[in-house]
Amino acid sequence: MVKRYAMIGLGGRSSFYYTALARDFKATSLIVGLCDTNQTRMNVANDQLAHDFDKMIAETKPDEVIITTIDRTHDIYIIRALELGCNVKTEKPMTIDEVRCKAIIDAVERTGKKVRVTFNYRYAPHNTKVFELLGKGVIGQVNSVHFEWALNTSHGADYFRRWDRDKRNSGGLLVHKSTHHFDLINFWLRSHPVSVMAQGGLMFYGRENAEKRGVTEFYTRAHGSEVAKKDPFALHLEEHEQLRKLYLEAEHEDAYYRDQSVFGDGVSIEDTMGVLVKYASGAILTYSLTAYTPWEGFHAIFNGTKGRLELDVVEKSYVNSGGEQEAEGASEVCTINLRPLFEKPREIEVERGLGGQGGGDPVLLNDLFGENVGEAWFGRAADHIDGAKSILTGICANKSLRTEGVVWVKDVLDSKY
């Protein structure tokens, strides 16, 4: 059976889906509609292979809608697609706050349609291996997890150049980016968050921080700026063909500037964050996210009643949509070490994942659009409840940043876990 897909939002992440559908999944999938508020990006999408969403659905009659718009609008299109009789596949995060999250949950229950959240990191071989090992009880009951994620001065800085820098659009990195990480913890522990406490702030990026370090020359955006030519953080759109086509040549329509200065005004998201989470399983998580480190990757350490499991991953540096999609988040180094109590430690052999997000992207695409989906017992497909569980940690962390106190998940959203 061939499924019919419509797509809303044709920015950088969208090509991950529409090129895969057109190139690799023609036997199972048909793109029947594309929608974006910017005609230039519409033209780019059409070259590589409506402004009215309801009209697109009515005319194309898709089975499913793929949503890759900016985060604050996900709920609008998810809910309307469900109401129009379509299932939904949406980019993470599912949405950015508890009000929108509750509205999506209610819409799923009201319509009986389905929402799938595309958590590609679940599908990376090393992350699936950790899920498998913990499920087999190799370290017994997991009591504590330490998870440190480092974003470097290329990828990390990129969140401060574009629309993400405004917390009203993205919920900040604790929602936009950390949804990946909090979902992995939920997935690995087979549990969900109960309480959250957080500290953090904007400590490196932004004009005020630059001024404190003695910077005296500033610019608003890189294109056309002489000052930007001396700034290693500047993004020069004209040097990247895809970014030039998607953004520089499209900005006359909507005045969206993809190359804003990371040390300019208007940055309202945090770049340095620490979070403490208690889970229903009894485990505790200490989590750290820094967006300006010299390298990219993460450490995940699990302490259990029978030992310790350590996952270390170094990822390739990249700028979102600045090059080959397959290189984005690809792992360069990956090791898993098991340290049982009273036994010698040993390294666990793990398949090297090829493709973006540690090898998770191609496996996710096959799971989304392929004919023969195996290993269903891993439970990697994430629904709207999984989407809610992941963002609730970040939503509660944002509230804790404001109140400097412990936030109980049940007080933010009376969830149906």
Side-chain angles (χ1 to χ4, degrees):
M1 176 182 175
V2 176
K3 281 190 176 181
R4 298 162 61 85
Y5 290 94
M7 190 162 196
I8 175 70
L10 298 173
R13 188 62 178 167
S14 63
S15 64
F16 171 70
Y17 297 97
Y18 65 68
T19 56
L21 286 168
R23 181 187 61 203
D24 302 322
F25 297 98
K26 291 183 288 188
T28 59
S29 311
L30 177 66
I31 301 173
V32 296
L34 299 172
C35 185
D36 195 280
T37 57
N38 188 296
Q39 184 60 44
T40 302
R41 283 195 287 274
M42 283 282 292
N43 294 340
V44 171
N46 283 314
D47 287 343
Q48 293 190 27
L49 301 166
H51 299 293
D52 189 302
F53 184 67
D54 284 25
K55 181 180 178 182
M56 178 186 70
I57 299 298
E59 291 182 351
T60 64
K61 297 179 173 59
D63 301 302
E64 303 200 3
V65 174
I66 301 170
I67 296 171
T68 58
T69 59
I70 66 173
D71 300 348
R72 66 173 168 80
T73 64
H74 283 184
D75 64 303
I76 297 171
Y77 296 111
I78 289 173
I79 293 170
R80 190 60 183 141
L82 295 173
E83 291 173 342
L84 292 172
C86 302
N87 291 323
V88 170
K89 290 180 170 63
T90 181
E91 258 294 301
K92 61 81 195 166
M94 186 174 75
T95 188
I96 63 171
D97 61 35
E98 66 272 25
V99 176
R100 291 173 169 92
C101 184
K102 179 65 163 55
I104 291 171
I105 293 173
D106 289 346
V108 171
E109 294 180 353
R110 183 173 68 251
T111 63
K113 306 306 290 186
K114 296 179 180 180
V115 173
R116 178 84 178 268
V117 185
T118 57
F119 287 121
N120 44 13
Y121 268 110
R122 287 187 175 203
Y123 294 80
H126 48 272
N127 294 330
T128 300
K129 189 67 174 178
V130 168
F131 175 84
E132 182 182 0
L133 290 167
L134 293 178
K136 290 179 177 178
V138 296
I139 62 169
Q141 178 180 320
V142 179
N143 289 331
S144 69
V145 183
H146 176 65
F147 196 168
E148 178 190 11
W149 201 288
L151 296 168
N152 68 8
T153 51
S154 178
H155 180 204
D158 208 35
Y159 296 105
F160 297 82
R161 300 184 185 111
R162 58 187 199 230
W163 57 265
D164 307 71
R165 75 207 305 259
D166 187 337
K167 202 165 185 174
R168 296 171 300 177
N169 288 332
S170 64
L173 291 181
L174 282 170
V175 172
H176 176 81
K177 182 61 180 176
S178 298
T179 185
H180 268 317
H181 315 153
F182 297 141
D183 175 70
L184 278 177
I185 299 296
N186 296 339
F187 175 63
W188 283 329
L189 295 182
R190 298 160 173 82
S191 190
H192 60 268
V194 173
S195 65
V196 180
M197 186 173 182
Q199 293 284 337
L202 182 64
M203 301 181 182
F204 181 77
Y205 297 111
R207 180 161 182 148
E208 186 175 353
N209 289 317
E211 288 174 340
K212 288 177 181 178
R213 294 192 296 271
V215 176
T216 58
E217 293 185 298
F218 294 92
Y219 59 95
T220 302
R221 59 170 307 194
H223 186 66
S225 169
E226 288 298 316
V227 176
K229 292 178 181 179
K230 300 178 287 183
D231 181 11
F233 287 89
L235 176 66
H236 302 285
L237 298 175
E238 61 274 11
E239 297 177 1
H240 304 266
E241 181 181 8
Q242 185 76 349
L243 291 176
R244 175 177 55 78
K245 290 180 177 179
L246 283 173
Y247 299 107
L248 187 60
E249 294 177 4
E251 61 191 33
H252 65 281
E253 296 190 39
D254 54 15
Y256 171 59
Y257 302 125
R258 177 65 178 78
D259 59 346
Q260 297 174 77
S261 169
V262 300
F263 301 117
D265 292 318
V267 178
S268 57
I269 63 173
E270 299 80 18
D271 57 26
T272 311
M273 293 140 280
V275 184
L276 179 65
V277 186
K278 180 70 176 291
Y279 288 83
S281 67
I284 59 173
L285 164 71
T286 54
Y287 171 80
S288 172
L289 177 64
T290 307
Y292 48 89
T293 69
W295 70 280
E296 177 107 355
F298 67 96
H299 306 293
I301 300 168
F302 306 83
N303 295 299
T305 55
K306 295 182 180 179
R308 177 181 174 98
L309 189 68
E310 301 169 347
L311 170 62
D312 294 285
V313 177
V314 177
E315 295 190 340
K316 289 183 178 178
S317 177
Y318 70 97
V319 171
N320 186 55
S321 299
E324 293 296 323
Q325 194 85 54
E326 292 79 7
E328 296 190 357
S331 57
E332 293 183 322
V333 179
C334 174
T335 59
I336 299 178
N337 287 295
L338 174 61
R339 302 180 185 277
L341 293 178
F342 312 115
E343 297 179 25
K344 290 184 178 180
R346 61 182 184 273
E347 184 172 335
I348 302 296
E349 185 176 346
V350 61
E351 174 189 349
R352 178 67 183 270
L354 300 177
Q357 313 309 325
D361 278 351
V363 187
L364 169 67
L365 286 170
N366 186 65
D367 198 10
L368 291 172
F369 308 123
E371 294 179 282
N372 301 311
V373 180
E375 300 180 344
W377 65 276
F378 282 134
R380 293 180 292 194
D383 63 11
H384 66 293
I385 297 298
D386 295 311
K389 290 178 182 179
S390 74
I391 56 174
L392 279 170
T393 307
I395 290 168
C396 290
N398 277 332
K399 186 172 183 179
S400 180
L401 288 177
R402 297 191 298 269
T403 63
E404 296 190 347
V406 176
V407 177
W408 294 88
V409 175
K410 64 179 177 60
D411 293 338
V412 172
L413 180 68
D414 186 14
S415 55
K416 301 177 180 179
Y417 292 148

